[in-house]
Amino acid sequence: MSRRALVIGGSLGGLIAAHLLRSTGWDAVVFERNEEELASRGVGLGTHPQLIAILKRAGIDFDESMGLTPSKAVCLDRNGKVVIERPTARTLSGWSRLYRALLDGLPARAYRLGKRLIRVAQDGDGVTALFADGTAERGDLLVGADGIRSAVRAQFLPEVQPVYAGYVAWRAVLDEADVPRDLWREMVALYAFCLPEGEQLISYAVPGRDNDTAVGRRAYNIVWYRSVSPEALIDISTDAAGHYHAAGIPPPLIRPEVVARIKADARANIAPQVAEIFVRTAPFFQPIYDLASPRLVFGRVVLAGDAAFVARPHAGAGTTKAALDAACLADSIRAAGDDLDRGLARYERMQAPFGKALVELNRAEGAYLSAQLKPKADRTAAELTRDLGAVVDAHIFRSDQVGGMVAAHGLDVHVNAPF
Ligand SMILES: Cc1cc2nc3c(=O)[nH]c(=O)nc-3n(C[C@H](O)[C@H](O)[C@H](O)COP(=O)(O)OP(=O)(O)OC[C@H]3O[C@@H](n4cnc5c(N)ncnc54)[C@H](O)[C@@H]3O)c2cc1C
Protein backbone atom coordinates (compact mmCIF):
# COMPACT_ATOMS: atom_id res chain seq x y z
CA MET A 1 0.00 0.00 0.00
CA SER A 2 1.35 3.45 -0.86
CA ARG A 3 2.40 5.76 1.92
CA ARG A 4 0.34 8.88 2.53
CA ALA A 5 1.66 12.45 2.70
CA LEU A 6 -0.47 15.30 4.05
CA VAL A 7 0.67 18.50 2.35
CA ILE A 8 -0.54 21.59 4.23
CA GLY A 9 -0.85 24.65 1.96
CA GLY A 10 -2.12 24.59 -1.60
CA SER A 11 -0.01 27.30 -3.22
CA LEU A 12 2.95 26.70 -5.55
CA GLY A 13 5.23 25.07 -2.94
CA GLY A 14 2.58 22.62 -1.75
CA LEU A 15 1.46 21.76 -5.25
CA ILE A 16 4.98 20.98 -6.49
CA ALA A 17 5.64 18.86 -3.38
CA ALA A 18 2.43 16.90 -3.96
CA HIS A 19 3.30 16.26 -7.61
CA LEU A 20 6.82 15.05 -6.90
CA LEU A 21 5.82 12.88 -3.95
CA ARG A 22 3.07 11.33 -6.05
CA SER A 23 5.57 10.64 -8.83
CA THR A 24 7.57 8.52 -6.36
CA GLY A 25 4.53 6.44 -5.42
CA TRP A 26 3.23 8.38 -2.43
CA ASP A 27 -0.45 9.20 -2.04
CA ALA A 28 0.08 12.94 -1.47
CA VAL A 29 -3.00 15.06 -0.69
CA VAL A 30 -2.98 18.87 -0.42
CA PHE A 31 -5.02 20.67 2.25
CA GLU A 32 -5.59 24.38 1.60
CA ARG A 33 -7.33 26.66 4.09
CA ASN A 34 -9.07 28.80 1.44
CA GLU A 35 -12.56 27.76 0.48
CA GLU A 36 -12.00 28.52 -3.17
CA GLU A 37 -9.16 28.06 -5.61
CA LEU A 38 -6.51 30.68 -5.03
CA ALA A 39 -6.72 33.98 -6.89
CA SER A 40 -3.46 35.39 -8.09
CA ARG A 41 -4.11 39.12 -8.34
CA GLY A 42 -2.42 38.53 -11.69
CA VAL A 43 1.09 39.22 -10.47
CA GLY A 44 4.22 38.29 -12.38
CA LEU A 45 6.72 35.66 -11.34
CA GLY A 46 10.38 35.55 -12.32
CA THR A 47 11.59 32.04 -13.18
CA HIS A 48 14.95 30.27 -13.25
CA PRO A 49 15.98 27.23 -15.34
CA GLN A 50 15.93 25.04 -12.19
CA LEU A 51 12.25 25.84 -11.61
CA ILE A 52 11.41 25.07 -15.23
CA ALA A 53 13.30 21.76 -15.07
CA ILE A 54 11.57 20.69 -11.85
CA LEU A 55 8.17 21.63 -13.29
CA LYS A 56 9.01 19.27 -16.16
CA ARG A 57 9.68 16.55 -13.58
CA ALA A 58 6.20 17.29 -12.24
CA GLY A 59 4.81 16.67 -15.74
CA ILE A 60 4.40 20.33 -16.63
CA ASP A 61 6.01 21.23 -19.88
CA PHE A 62 6.93 24.84 -19.48
CA ASP A 63 6.79 26.07 -23.04
CA GLU A 64 6.79 29.58 -24.48
CA SER A 65 3.10 29.97 -23.75
CA MET A 66 3.89 30.01 -20.04
CA GLY A 67 5.90 33.20 -20.04
CA LEU A 68 7.31 36.21 -21.85
CA THR A 69 10.99 36.92 -22.39
CA PRO A 70 12.07 40.57 -22.71
CA SER A 71 15.12 41.18 -24.86
CA LYS A 72 16.57 44.28 -23.17
CA ALA A 73 17.08 45.45 -19.60
CA VAL A 74 17.00 49.23 -19.29
CA CYS A 75 17.21 51.74 -16.49
CA LEU A 76 14.97 54.78 -17.00
CA ASP A 77 15.69 58.03 -15.24
CA ARG A 78 13.11 60.37 -13.74
CA ASN A 79 12.48 61.91 -17.19
CA GLY A 80 12.06 58.56 -18.90
CA LYS A 81 15.45 58.63 -20.60
CA VAL A 82 17.32 55.33 -20.96
CA VAL A 83 20.49 55.66 -18.87
CA ILE A 84 21.57 51.99 -18.92
CA GLU A 85 20.85 49.34 -21.54
CA ARG A 86 21.85 45.66 -21.54
CA PRO A 87 20.72 42.53 -23.43
CA THR A 88 18.80 40.07 -21.24
CA ALA A 89 16.77 36.87 -21.57
CA ARG A 90 14.80 35.80 -18.53
CA THR A 91 11.40 34.15 -18.71
CA LEU A 92 8.76 36.04 -16.77
CA SER A 93 5.61 34.16 -16.09
CA GLY A 94 2.61 34.67 -13.88
CA TRP A 95 1.84 33.14 -10.50
CA SER A 96 -1.52 31.88 -11.74
CA ARG A 97 0.03 30.41 -14.91
CA LEU A 98 2.02 27.99 -12.77
CA TYR A 99 -0.79 27.47 -10.24
CA ARG A 100 -3.26 26.51 -12.95
CA ALA A 101 -0.91 24.06 -14.64
CA LEU A 102 0.04 22.41 -11.33
CA LEU A 103 -3.55 22.20 -10.11
CA ASP A 104 -4.86 20.79 -13.40
CA GLY A 105 -2.26 18.03 -13.20
CA LEU A 106 -3.52 16.71 -9.83
CA PRO A 107 -6.56 14.46 -9.39
CA ALA A 108 -9.41 16.46 -7.81
CA ARG A 109 -9.40 14.27 -4.69
CA ALA A 110 -5.77 15.23 -4.05
CA TYR A 111 -6.55 18.96 -3.58
CA ARG A 112 -8.88 19.72 -0.67
CA LEU A 113 -10.14 23.25 -0.12
CA GLY A 114 -11.54 24.73 3.10
CA LYS A 115 -9.07 22.76 5.24
CA ARG A 116 -7.34 25.03 7.75
CA LEU A 117 -4.80 23.14 9.80
CA ILE A 118 -4.86 24.01 13.47
CA ARG A 119 -2.59 21.34 14.97
CA VAL A 120 -0.44 18.34 14.25
CA ALA A 121 -0.22 15.25 16.49
CA GLN A 122 2.34 12.45 16.14
CA ASP A 123 2.67 8.92 17.47
CA GLY A 124 4.79 5.88 16.65
CA ASP A 125 2.73 5.05 13.56
CA GLY A 126 2.52 8.41 11.88
CA VAL A 127 1.03 11.84 11.97
CA THR A 128 -2.47 13.31 12.34
CA ALA A 129 -3.52 16.70 11.00
CA LEU A 130 -6.37 18.38 12.85
CA PHE A 131 -8.41 20.93 10.94
CA ALA A 132 -10.56 23.88 11.98
CA ASP A 133 -13.67 22.16 10.57
CA GLY A 134 -13.27 19.46 13.23
CA THR A 135 -11.97 16.77 10.87
CA ALA A 136 -8.68 14.89 11.12
CA GLU A 137 -6.47 13.20 8.51
CA ARG A 138 -3.87 10.53 9.07
CA GLY A 139 -0.63 10.12 7.14
CA ASP A 140 2.94 8.80 7.26
CA LEU A 141 4.38 12.27 6.62
CA LEU A 142 3.18 15.88 6.92
CA VAL A 143 4.70 18.62 4.75
CA GLY A 144 4.19 22.14 6.10
CA ALA A 145 4.02 24.21 2.91
CA ASP A 146 1.77 26.78 4.55
CA GLY A 147 3.80 29.90 3.88
CA ILE A 148 5.32 32.73 5.87
CA ARG A 149 2.74 32.53 8.73
CA SER A 150 2.92 28.72 8.84
CA ALA A 151 0.74 27.08 11.48
CA VAL A 152 3.00 24.01 11.26
CA ARG A 153 6.13 26.08 12.02
CA ALA A 154 4.31 27.97 14.78
CA GLN A 155 3.69 24.67 16.56
CA PHE A 156 7.27 23.36 16.34
CA LEU A 157 9.29 26.60 16.28
CA PRO A 158 7.08 29.20 17.99
CA GLU A 159 10.05 31.52 18.55
CA VAL A 160 10.78 31.84 14.79
CA GLN A 161 8.94 34.89 13.45
CA PRO A 162 9.23 36.88 10.21
CA VAL A 163 11.45 39.96 10.66
CA TYR A 164 10.28 43.08 8.82
CA ALA A 165 12.99 44.36 6.46
CA GLY A 166 11.93 48.01 6.63
CA TYR A 167 10.39 48.25 3.15
CA VAL A 168 7.41 47.06 1.15
CA ALA A 169 6.84 45.97 -2.43
CA TRP A 170 4.05 47.91 -4.08
CA ARG A 171 2.69 45.69 -6.84
CA ALA A 172 0.54 46.62 -9.82
CA VAL A 173 -0.72 44.90 -12.95
CA LEU A 174 -2.51 46.40 -15.94
CA ASP A 175 -4.14 44.56 -18.85
CA GLU A 176 -2.47 45.20 -22.19
CA ALA A 177 -5.78 46.56 -23.50
CA ASP A 178 -5.70 49.31 -20.85
CA VAL A 179 -2.14 50.44 -21.59
CA PRO A 180 -2.00 53.24 -24.19
CA ARG A 181 -0.91 51.54 -27.41
CA ASP A 182 2.27 53.54 -28.05
CA LEU A 183 3.35 53.03 -24.48
CA TRP A 184 2.79 49.28 -24.72
CA ARG A 185 4.89 49.13 -27.88
CA GLU A 186 7.67 51.03 -26.14
CA MET A 187 7.65 48.89 -22.99
CA VAL A 188 6.66 45.36 -24.04
CA ALA A 189 10.14 44.02 -24.80
CA LEU A 190 11.83 45.79 -21.88
CA TYR A 191 12.83 44.65 -18.43
CA ALA A 192 12.68 48.19 -17.09
CA PHE A 193 14.21 49.59 -13.91
CA CYS A 194 13.56 52.91 -12.22
CA LEU A 195 16.05 53.57 -9.43
CA PRO A 196 15.21 56.82 -7.64
CA GLU A 197 17.34 57.40 -4.55
CA GLY A 198 16.45 54.90 -1.83
CA GLU A 199 14.04 52.93 -4.00
CA GLN A 200 13.92 50.19 -6.62
CA LEU A 201 11.26 49.56 -9.24
CA ILE A 202 11.22 46.76 -11.81
CA SER A 203 8.59 46.33 -14.50
CA TYR A 204 7.95 43.96 -17.37
CA ALA A 205 5.20 42.36 -19.47
CA VAL A 206 3.65 39.11 -18.19
CA PRO A 207 0.91 36.68 -19.30
CA GLY A 208 -2.48 38.38 -18.93
CA ARG A 209 -5.81 37.30 -17.48
CA ASP A 210 -6.53 33.63 -18.17
CA ASN A 211 -2.75 33.29 -18.44
CA ASP A 212 -2.81 34.49 -22.03
CA THR A 213 0.42 35.41 -23.84
CA ALA A 214 -1.35 36.28 -27.13
CA VAL A 215 -0.93 39.77 -28.56
CA GLY A 216 -3.53 42.10 -27.03
CA ARG A 217 -4.15 39.81 -24.06
CA ARG A 218 -0.96 40.19 -22.04
CA ALA A 219 -0.45 42.44 -19.01
CA TYR A 220 2.16 44.79 -17.57
CA ASN A 221 3.60 44.07 -14.11
CA ILE A 222 5.27 46.52 -11.71
CA VAL A 223 7.13 45.78 -8.44
CA TRP A 224 8.23 48.89 -6.55
CA TYR A 225 10.29 48.59 -3.36
CA ARG A 226 10.02 51.58 -1.00
CA SER A 227 11.12 52.08 2.54
CA VAL A 228 8.27 52.30 5.06
CA SER A 229 8.89 52.68 8.80
CA PRO A 230 7.25 50.13 11.11
CA GLU A 231 4.88 52.88 12.35
CA ALA A 232 3.93 53.89 8.81
CA LEU A 233 3.41 50.21 7.93
CA ILE A 234 0.83 49.95 10.71
CA ASP A 235 -0.89 53.04 9.31
CA ILE A 236 -1.09 51.81 5.70
CA SER A 237 -2.15 48.35 6.93
CA THR A 238 -5.14 49.85 8.77
CA ASP A 239 -8.44 49.93 6.89
CA ALA A 240 -11.01 52.72 6.77
CA ALA A 241 -12.90 51.14 9.71
CA GLY A 242 -9.74 51.45 11.84
CA HIS A 243 -8.90 47.72 11.83
CA TYR A 244 -5.17 46.93 11.63
CA HIS A 245 -4.32 43.89 9.44
CA ALA A 246 -1.06 42.60 10.96
CA ALA A 247 -0.75 39.61 8.59
CA GLY A 248 -1.30 41.76 5.46
CA ILE A 249 -4.15 44.03 4.45
CA PRO A 250 -6.38 42.63 1.67
CA PRO A 251 -5.93 44.92 -1.38
CA PRO A 252 -9.54 46.15 -1.54
CA LEU A 253 -9.24 47.41 2.04
CA ILE A 254 -6.23 49.69 1.46
CA ARG A 255 -7.54 53.18 2.20
CA PRO A 256 -8.16 55.35 -0.88
CA GLU A 257 -5.87 58.12 0.42
CA VAL A 258 -3.00 55.63 0.74
CA VAL A 259 -3.50 54.61 -2.89
CA ALA A 260 -3.81 58.25 -3.98
CA ARG A 261 -0.53 59.06 -2.21
CA ILE A 262 1.44 56.25 -3.85
CA LYS A 263 0.09 57.25 -7.26
CA ALA A 264 1.12 60.86 -6.67
CA ASP A 265 4.59 59.63 -5.63
CA ALA A 266 4.78 57.56 -8.83
CA ARG A 267 4.12 60.69 -10.89
CA ALA A 268 6.72 62.63 -8.92
CA ASN A 269 9.53 60.06 -8.70
CA ILE A 270 9.51 57.48 -11.46
CA ALA A 271 9.86 57.50 -15.23
CA PRO A 272 6.69 58.86 -16.86
CA GLN A 273 6.29 55.72 -19.03
CA VAL A 274 6.02 53.51 -15.95
CA ALA A 275 4.09 56.07 -13.88
CA GLU A 276 1.49 56.32 -16.68
CA ILE A 277 0.86 52.59 -16.32
CA PHE A 278 1.04 52.55 -12.51
CA VAL A 279 -1.58 55.27 -12.01
CA ARG A 280 -4.09 53.28 -14.09
CA THR A 281 -3.88 50.25 -11.76
CA ALA A 282 -5.30 49.27 -8.37
CA PRO A 283 -1.95 48.80 -6.62
CA PHE A 284 -1.43 46.82 -3.42
CA PHE A 285 1.59 46.21 -1.22
CA GLN A 286 3.41 43.33 0.44
CA PRO A 287 5.76 44.03 3.37
CA ILE A 288 9.17 42.39 2.89
CA TYR A 289 10.42 39.98 5.55
CA ASP A 290 13.36 37.71 6.37
CA LEU A 291 12.78 34.36 8.00
CA ALA A 292 15.10 31.41 8.56
CA SER A 293 14.12 28.23 10.40
CA PRO A 294 16.97 26.57 12.32
CA ARG A 295 15.37 23.11 11.80
CA LEU A 296 13.19 21.66 9.07
CA VAL A 297 12.30 18.19 10.37
CA PHE A 298 10.34 17.30 13.52
CA GLY A 299 9.72 13.56 13.54
CA ARG A 300 7.46 12.95 10.53
CA VAL A 301 6.77 16.64 9.99
CA VAL A 302 8.84 18.75 7.59
CA LEU A 303 8.82 22.42 6.62
CA ALA A 304 9.18 23.47 2.97
CA GLY A 305 8.94 26.60 0.80
CA ASP A 306 8.18 29.89 2.57
CA ALA A 307 7.16 28.04 5.75
CA ALA A 308 10.84 27.10 6.13
CA PHE A 309 12.67 30.17 4.77
CA VAL A 310 11.48 33.47 3.40
CA ALA A 311 14.07 35.19 1.25
CA ARG A 312 13.41 38.77 0.17
CA PRO A 313 12.20 38.61 -3.42
CA HIS A 314 15.17 40.30 -5.15
CA ALA A 315 16.53 37.07 -6.65
CA GLY A 316 13.03 36.05 -7.74
CA ALA A 317 13.88 32.59 -6.49
CA GLY A 318 11.26 31.84 -3.80
CA THR A 319 9.34 29.47 -6.04
CA THR A 320 12.55 27.95 -7.38
CA LYS A 321 13.59 27.24 -3.79
CA ALA A 322 10.17 25.75 -3.00
CA ALA A 323 10.56 23.50 -6.09
CA LEU A 324 14.06 22.45 -4.99
CA ASP A 325 12.72 21.67 -1.51
CA ALA A 326 10.07 19.46 -3.07
CA ALA A 327 12.49 17.69 -5.41
CA CYS A 328 15.08 17.12 -2.68
CA LEU A 329 12.41 15.81 -0.31
CA ALA A 330 10.99 13.35 -2.85
CA ASP A 331 14.44 12.16 -3.96
CA SER A 332 15.78 11.83 -0.42
CA ILE A 333 12.80 9.78 0.71
CA ARG A 334 12.93 7.56 -2.35
CA ALA A 335 16.67 6.95 -1.99
CA ALA A 336 16.24 6.02 1.68
CA GLY A 337 13.73 3.25 0.86
CA ASP A 338 11.96 2.10 4.01
CA ASP A 339 14.07 4.31 6.25
CA LEU A 340 11.93 7.45 6.15
CA ASP A 341 13.82 9.08 9.02
CA ARG A 342 17.08 8.80 7.09
CA GLY A 343 15.45 10.38 4.03
CA LEU A 344 14.09 13.26 6.09
CA ALA A 345 17.46 13.81 7.76
CA ARG A 346 19.08 14.09 4.34
CA TYR A 347 16.41 16.59 3.26
CA GLU A 348 17.22 18.82 6.23
CA ARG A 349 20.98 18.46 5.69
CA MET A 350 20.68 19.60 2.07
CA GLN A 351 17.94 22.24 2.16
CA ALA A 352 18.71 24.03 5.44
CA PRO A 353 22.08 25.49 4.31
CA PHE A 354 20.67 26.37 0.90
CA GLY A 355 17.65 28.16 2.38
CA LYS A 356 19.88 30.08 4.77
CA ALA A 357 22.24 31.08 1.95
CA LEU A 358 19.33 32.32 -0.17
CA VAL A 359 18.00 34.42 2.72
CA GLU A 360 21.45 35.94 3.21
CA LEU A 361 21.99 36.67 -0.48
CA ASN A 362 18.71 38.55 -0.68
CA ARG A 363 19.25 40.32 2.62
CA ALA A 364 22.55 41.66 1.30
CA GLU A 365 20.85 42.76 -1.91
CA GLY A 366 18.14 44.59 0.02
CA ALA A 367 20.53 46.15 2.56
CA TYR A 368 20.50 49.48 0.71
CA LEU A 369 16.69 49.56 0.86
CA SER A 370 16.58 48.59 4.55
CA ALA A 371 19.17 51.26 5.38
CA GLN A 372 16.87 54.05 4.21
CA LEU A 373 15.28 54.10 7.66
CA LYS A 374 18.63 54.92 9.31
CA PRO A 375 19.90 58.51 9.64
CA LYS A 376 22.36 59.22 6.80
CA ALA A 377 25.20 59.67 9.28
CA ASP A 378 24.78 56.05 10.42
CA ARG A 379 24.85 54.49 6.95
CA THR A 380 27.83 52.74 5.38
CA ALA A 381 29.16 53.93 2.02
CA ALA A 382 27.31 51.07 0.27
CA GLU A 383 24.11 52.08 2.05
CA LEU A 384 24.50 55.69 0.96
CA THR A 385 25.16 55.23 -2.74
CA ARG A 386 24.39 52.57 -5.29
CA ASP A 387 26.01 51.59 -8.55
CA LEU A 388 22.96 51.56 -10.83
CA GLY A 389 24.72 49.42 -13.45
CA ALA A 390 25.48 46.82 -10.78
CA VAL A 391 21.80 46.69 -9.76
CA VAL A 392 20.78 46.01 -13.38
CA ASP A 393 23.59 43.49 -13.92
CA ALA A 394 22.66 41.61 -10.75
CA HIS A 395 19.25 40.93 -12.28
CA ILE A 396 20.61 39.97 -15.67
CA PHE A 397 23.05 37.43 -14.22
CA ARG A 398 20.64 36.25 -11.55
CA SER A 399 20.01 32.84 -13.04
CA ASP A 400 23.78 32.18 -13.22
CA GLN A 401 24.04 33.19 -9.58
CA VAL A 402 21.12 31.01 -8.48
CA GLY A 403 22.47 28.13 -10.61
CA GLY A 404 25.89 28.54 -8.97
CA MET A 405 24.31 28.38 -5.51
CA VAL A 406 22.30 25.30 -6.43
CA ALA A 407 25.46 23.55 -7.66
CA ALA A 408 27.55 24.69 -4.67
CA HIS A 409 24.98 23.12 -2.31
CA GLY A 410 24.97 19.84 -4.27
CA LEU A 411 21.35 20.28 -5.32
CA ASP A 412 21.70 20.16 -9.10
CA VAL A 413 21.20 16.40 -8.91
CA HIS A 414 17.55 17.11 -8.01
CA VAL A 415 16.90 19.43 -10.91
CA ASN A 416 16.80 17.07 -13.88
CA ALA A 417 16.63 13.70 -12.12
CA PRO A 418 14.61 11.34 -14.33
CA PHE A 419 11.76 9.31 -12.89
C1 LIG B 1 6.82 40.97 -3.68
C2 LIG B 1 7.14 39.52 -3.94
C3 LIG B 1 7.60 39.14 -5.19
C4 LIG B 1 7.94 37.81 -5.44
N1 LIG B 1 8.41 37.49 -6.68
C5 LIG B 1 8.81 36.23 -6.91
C6 LIG B 1 9.35 35.87 -8.17
O1 LIG B 1 9.44 36.68 -9.10
N2 LIG B 1 9.78 34.61 -8.36
C7 LIG B 1 9.68 33.67 -7.35
O2 LIG B 1 10.08 32.52 -7.57
N3 LIG B 1 9.16 33.96 -6.15
C8 LIG B 1 8.73 35.21 -5.89
N4 LIG B 1 8.21 35.51 -4.67
C9 LIG B 1 8.17 34.46 -3.61
C10 LIG B 1 7.10 33.43 -3.83
O3 LIG B 1 5.84 34.06 -3.84
C11 LIG B 1 7.13 32.31 -2.74
O4 LIG B 1 8.43 32.17 -2.23
C12 LIG B 1 6.76 30.97 -3.36
O5 LIG B 1 5.57 31.08 -4.08
C13 LIG B 1 6.65 29.82 -2.34
O6 LIG B 1 5.43 29.90 -1.71
P1 LIG B 1 4.83 28.78 -0.78
O7 LIG B 1 3.93 27.87 -1.57
O8 LIG B 1 5.88 28.16 0.04
O9 LIG B 1 3.94 29.67 0.22
P2 LIG B 1 2.65 30.56 -0.11
O10 LIG B 1 2.55 30.92 -1.52
O11 LIG B 1 2.61 31.62 0.92
O12 LIG B 1 1.45 29.53 0.19
C14 LIG B 1 1.09 29.09 1.45
C15 LIG B 1 -0.29 28.46 1.31
O13 LIG B 1 -0.63 27.86 2.55
C16 LIG B 1 -1.98 28.18 2.86
N5 LIG B 1 -2.11 28.09 4.31
C17 LIG B 1 -1.59 28.93 5.25
N6 LIG B 1 -1.90 28.52 6.48
C18 LIG B 1 -2.63 27.37 6.34
C19 LIG B 1 -3.24 26.47 7.25
N7 LIG B 1 -3.16 26.67 8.58
N8 LIG B 1 -3.89 25.38 6.77
C20 LIG B 1 -3.98 25.16 5.42
N9 LIG B 1 -3.44 26.01 4.50
C21 LIG B 1 -2.77 27.08 4.96
C22 LIG B 1 -2.17 29.59 2.32
O14 LIG B 1 -3.52 29.91 2.13
C23 LIG B 1 -1.38 29.50 1.00
O15 LIG B 1 -2.18 29.02 -0.05
C24 LIG B 1 7.83 36.83 -4.40
C25 LIG B 1 7.34 37.20 -3.13
C26 LIG B 1 7.00 38.53 -2.90
C27 LIG B 1 6.49 38.93 -1.53
Side-chain angles (χ1 to χ4, degrees):
M1 210 173 75
S2 68
R3 291 181 291 180
R4 188 161 196 248
L6 313 174
V7 179
I8 310 301
S11 177
L12 301 184
L15 281 168
I16 300 173
H19 272 276
L20 294 183
L21 285 168
R22 292 178 76 81
S23 72
T24 60
W26 280 70
D27 173 24
V29 181
V30 178
F31 297 92
E32 164 58 44
R33 69 178 165 192
N34 280 288
E35 302 283 340
E36 290 171 10
E37 286 181 11
L38 308 183
S40 78
R41 301 171 198 157
V43 288
L45 187 96
T47 67
H48 294 288
Q50 293 76 16
L51 173 62
I52 293 170
I54 293 172
L55 287 171
K56 285 209 167 89
R57 283 186 59 180
I60 287 145
D61 208 5
F62 194 101
D63 60 21
E64 305 183 318
S65 76
M66 296 189 80
L68 299 170
T69 308
S71 54
K72 268 196 293 191
V74 298
C75 179
L76 304 169
D77 73 8
R78 161 74 197 84
N79 300 312
K81 188 165 148 263
V82 174
V83 289
I84 296 171
E85 184 174 323
R86 309 261 201 272
T88 189
R90 181 162 173 216
T91 302
L92 301 155
S93 189
W95 184 95
S96 67
R97 188 74 180 92
L98 299 193
Y99 176 74
R100 193 73 256 159
L102 286 161
L103 189 59
D104 288 350
L106 275 188
R109 61 173 184 77
Y111 193 80
R112 310 269 302 276
L113 291 163
K115 290 287 184 185
R116 185 166 69 81
L117 178 102
I118 47 171
R119 225 190 126 63
V120 180
Q122 298 195 69
D123 56 38
D125 292 332
V127 53
T128 304
L130 302 160
F131 295 97
D133 62 4
T135 60
E137 294 280 344
R138 201 66 196 144
D140 303 282
L141 172 69
L142 183 141
V143 181
D146 50 346
I148 186 168
R149 312 250 169 220
S150 167
V152 180
R153 192 188 64 241
Q155 183 176 333
F156 293 93
L157 295 172
E159 69 286 3
V160 176
Q161 297 290 334
V163 177
Y164 177 52
Y167 56 101
V168 307
W170 275 95
R171 308 195 72 170
V173 186
L174 191 62
D175 289 346
E176 179 174 351
D178 296 328
V179 180
R181 190 165 305 179
D182 288 349
L183 195 50
W184 180 268
R185 263 199 294 270
E186 181 181 346
M187 302 303 288
V188 62
L190 302 181
Y191 190 80
F193 290 80
C194 300
L195 299 170
E197 191 184 338
E199 307 189 6
Q200 185 180 117
L201 180 151
I202 305 158
S203 64
Y204 42 80
V206 291
R209 279 172 209 275
D210 303 324
N211 303 313
D212 213 329
T213 50
V215 171
R217 303 179 63 85
R218 297 161 290 183
Y220 201 77
N221 177 73
I222 298 171
V223 186
W224 184 8
Y225 299 106
R226 308 195 83 196
S227 116
V228 173
S229 71
E231 301 74 38
L233 179 61
I234 291 174
D235 173 52
I236 62 176
S237 304
T238 301
D239 64 25
H243 178 66
Y244 164 52
H245 299 262
I249 183 166
L253 297 185
I254 301 174
R255 301 195 313 276
E257 75 266 23
V258 174
V259 173
R261 208 159 57 219
I262 188 74
K263 289 186 176 180
D265 285 356
R267 286 230 185 264
N269 297 319
I270 63 176
Q273 300 94 313
V274 180
E276 262 322 305
I277 298 176
F278 189 85
V279 298
R280 290 171 155 82
T281 69
F284 63 95
F285 64 88
Q286 291 171 288
I288 302 302
Y289 296 99
D290 298 306
L291 182 138
S293 298
R295 288 176 58 199
L296 304 183
V297 177
F298 311 87
R300 298 297 168 86
V301 174
V302 306
L303 298 176
D306 278 10
F309 291 93
V310 177
R312 303 183 193 185
H314 303 296
T319 311
T320 301
K321 189 200 82 77
L324 282 160
D325 285 349
C328 179
L329 179 65
D331 291 346
S332 302
I333 291 174
R334 189 179 59 153
D338 288 339
D339 192 349
L340 184 54
D341 292 332
R342 188 159 64 88
L344 299 184
R346 180 183 185 277
Y347 166 73
E348 180 168 88
R349 208 164 52 243
M350 301 304 288
Q351 293 308 114
F354 178 69
K356 191 161 173 266
L358 196 64
V359 170
E360 276 161 13
L361 171 84
N362 284 285
R363 190 186 279 141
E365 180 122 359
Y368 169 82
L369 293 162
S370 290
Q372 301 307 311
L373 292 178
K374 290 198 243 173
K376 281 200 167 167
D378 296 347
R379 294 186 213 164
T380 64
E383 290 171 348
L384 279 169
T385 49
R386 229 179 353 178
D387 177 342
L388 302 191
V391 174
V392 175
D393 286 345
H395 281 255
I396 293 176
F397 298 113
R398 187 71 78 202
S399 284
D400 297 343
Q401 190 182 29
V402 170
M405 279 181 68
V406 169
H409 285 82
L411 297 177
D412 36 1
V413 63
H414 301 299
V415 174
N416 295 303
F419 269 80

